[in-house]
Amino acid sequence: VQQRFGIDPEVCTGDHSCIRLNGCPSLTVKPSGDPLKDDPVVHANNDCVGCGLCGKVAHAAQLCPSFYRLDVIRNPTVWDRLRHRIGNAVLGWLGGAPIPAPPAAPVPRPAAPVPAPAE
Amino acid sequence: MSGTAARQPVRLLIAALGGEGGGVLVDWITRAATAEGLHATRTSIPGVAQRTGGTTYYVEVLERCEGDPPPVLGLNAAPGRVDVLLATELLEAARRAEAGFVTPDRTVAIVARRRAYTVAEKAEGGDGRLDDGALERARRGAAKTARIEDFEALAAGAGAPLNAVLLGALAASGALPVSPDRFRDAVRAGGKATEANLRGFEAGLSGGIAPSPVPEPAPVPADEFAFLPREAARLAAEGVKRLADHQDAAAAGRYLDTLRRFAALPGADAALLASLARHLALRMGFEDVIRVAQLKLREARRPRLAQEAKARPGDIVHVVEFMKPGPAEILSLLPPGPARALLGWVERRGWMDRSVRLNVSPTRPLGFLRLRLLAALRPWRPRTLRFHEERACRALARPRRAQPRPRSRRGARGRGDRAAGEGLWRHRCARPRRLGAHRRRDRRARARRPAAARDLRRRGAAGAPRRAEGPGGGCARPHPRRHHRPGRRAGGADRRRVTRWIGDGPGAE
């Protein structure tokens, strides 16, 4: 299971108390994209490693419901897949939908730039 | 030896953030310079990754002549003696310029137009970001020539790292007597991600500018908003959309009615109406548990999550939401009568800080069901305590005169009890009868204050206006945006008073 955190731009009010409270370097701000909210919203960039500290703060300090955690199960076992399929069936019956799977054949990306370490 | 004295090295300063590849960039430059047959020296002050570490690199390159003794080149950049400044970020460039390394007589500045926000900028409650335009203008004014471009977009377009693009831009500027081929050789000699780096180098060299996105013309608002000025009409259209989504068409209708009443007042100008349209929509579309559940179940959210998860085919993705409603949030879903009684009871027991831990996963059946039930409470909302409180707040803003306080929403942000402004509003508005209470209490507090202090204050008020006390209205650092922040005008003293009102609570007299 690989985890990372994210923030819903619709729910974020732009008060940035999460940044003040946990100071995670992967939390940054971006324009809200909502003409009614003129303050920038919080955004977790690619540096998020899913350490969960912000989530812990979210529990301890009643922080914010705009946070969410993505659990990506890599190389699921047969049992995982079976459970997922049954769960999705029930979900569909209830009117929900799972997170859409990526396209089956991923487009070949250009060679990823190797992060250059500082000297 | 007399020739050596006349020769001056080309001095090059690189400002980057830790982890952006400044070291590699310096490596390429010195390698290319020595391959070109020049004397070169480099020093570096590394820092840790990201915004926490500004890193600088300094390179001196000197032309080689026949029979030269090994030259002594400088190890540190000296203010006023830098020929080229390469910076990966606007604020880093500004820092170097502030330290005097960018001068109009010689410095060629090559700066990527991008920002990595500082903690102070991010932590600001509202919009604390520095003005990019001002930073850029300052650089252009300080340098002999400046090339400030969106090199990051260029790099992303080429699928290359930023430092390779900057190397290309340096080669294109001709500031160093090194041919582009030498740079290419140096990149190849680096041996890592050569293809991508060369692509970036060519992109920086040719200076192909990524087409900047043309801002879409604002949609012309429909006729039903014709009673409003243009900007306000645009916001009102957004507000109607949001309220219809938040509650129903009737709520949107009430919103428009209120706007209409204000627009009919004499003295309601465009700025006031635009501000009102924005903040009224935010206040009426308040965010309670129901709304959050509704937003979390959004269809449009799923593709975004899928993109962020970066899942490979066959992977299973689940989302976990963190909700932790406290008594104030849960009980405000009840009708006002029982809710106030229960809230009073909870407050007496001292349970206001408790909360229900709710980790919901909308991609699993049970979690989905829970969120779905919460979102389905929408028709119930007009009966909740929260709805009544919001309506009571708005009732205060009935158009008696054309100077209401439509900026109030800025104070009321965050959720539950954590929002200080919320408490203030509840105190002031939910019990309109007691509106004068804080004023009375204030008067009493003033009477208790020693007479000398009172006199001092009166004299101060009679003399210069208090806002002229210092630049920045009392903040330690001059902050370019802070002066323009409307909701902040109150200054330190007034805000402290606000907190005290809340701290006292209605029953403290």
Side-chain angles (χ1 to χ4, degrees), chain B residues 175-464:
Chain B
L176 281 187
V178 180
S179 71
D181 276 336
R182 298 281 179 229
F183 283 119
R184 287 191 193 105
D185 290 344
V187 170
R188 269 185 217 110
K192 280 183 192 163
T194 314
E195 282 302 306
N197 286 335
L198 281 178
R199 272 202 308 275
F201 177 77
E202 299 302 337
L205 187 65
S206 60
I209 300 300
S212 58
V214 182
E216 285 180 27
V220 180
D223 287 343
E224 54 175 326
F225 307 110
F227 63 94
L228 289 169
R230 194 180 176 81
E231 173 69 8
R234 190 177 64 82
L235 289 168
E238 272 310 312
V240 165
K241 220 187 300 168
R242 157 159 327 201
L243 287 174
D245 178 50
H246 176 263
Q247 186 62 44
D248 48 21
R254 283 198 297 279
Y255 169 72
L256 271 186
D257 286 345
T258 312
L259 281 185
R260 219 168 265 137
R261 281 208 302 276
F262 270 98
L265 288 181
D269 57 353
L272 175 83
L273 285 174
S275 181
L276 180 76
R278 178 201 304 278
H279 292 283
L280 190 64
L282 287 177
R283 267 223 93 87
M284 288 181 73
F286 57 89
E287 281 179 7
D288 51 2
V289 189
I290 306 174
R291 173 71 173 168
V292 171
Q294 186 195 2
L295 287 175
K296 294 279 183 191
L297 289 175
R298 267 293 148 74
E299 289 287 322
R301 185 163 169 258
R302 261 183 277 119
R304 202 184 66 231
L305 292 186
Q307 194 197 345
E308 261 192 27
K310 295 199 177 72
R312 293 179 297 228
D315 290 349
I316 297 175
V317 184
H318 284 300
V319 192
V320 181
E321 312 288 353
F322 298 93
M323 310 233 267
K324 202 184 178 192
E329 278 161 309
I330 297 172
L331 292 179
S332 65
L333 290 179
L334 295 176
R340 289 221 174 94
L342 277 173
L343 268 179
W345 179 70
V346 167
E347 210 165 353
R348 278 195 300 281
R349 301 293 300 247
W351 285 353
M352 285 309 273
D353 292 341
R354 301 196 174 191
S355 55
V356 185
R357 178 181 165 142
L358 209 60
N359 279 11
V360 197
S361 175
T363 46
R364 293 194 166 94
L366 270 182
F368 177 79
L369 203 60
R370 278 197 273 180
L371 277 182
R372 193 60 201 271
L373 285 177
L374 269 179
L377 285 176
R378 198 149 69 109
W380 169 259
R381 186 188 273 141
R383 300 183 194 175
T384 61
L385 169 69
R386 182 75 196 271
F387 187 86
H388 279 259
E389 289 185 347
E390 293 289 343
R391 208 175 48 185
C393 287
R394 290 199 304 276
L396 287 182
R398 253 190 219 119
R400 272 166 297 213
R401 57 212 161 95
Q403 284 300 319
R405 303 177 49 210
R407 290 205 171 98
S408 51
R409 175 69 202 179
R410 191 177 275 276
R413 82 141 62 91
R415 291 172 189 83
D417 271 0
R418 293 189 24 74
E422 206 71 45
L424 175 68
W425 270 102
R426 198 164 296 156
H427 184 137
R428 270 202 203 163
C429 313
R431 300 171 178 80
R433 274 171 305 160
R434 304 177 58 97
L435 250 187
H438 60 82
R439 232 170 280 146
R440 280 199 298 280
R441 196 179 322 140
D442 226 42
R443 215 175 302 137
R444 240 171 291 156
R446 235 175 304 156
R448 277 200 295 274
R449 208 176 288 149
R454 211 162 53 214
D455 285 345
L456 199 67
R457 169 166 287 216
R458 199 168 295 152
R459 229 176 300 141

Side-chain angles (χ1 to χ4, degrees), chain B residues 129-146:
Chain B
R129 295 174 299 177
L130 297 172
D131 183 5
D132 290 3
L135 283 175
E136 190 180 325
R137 280 193 299 280
R139 295 301 67 66
R140 285 195 192 282
K144 183 176 152 201
T145 54

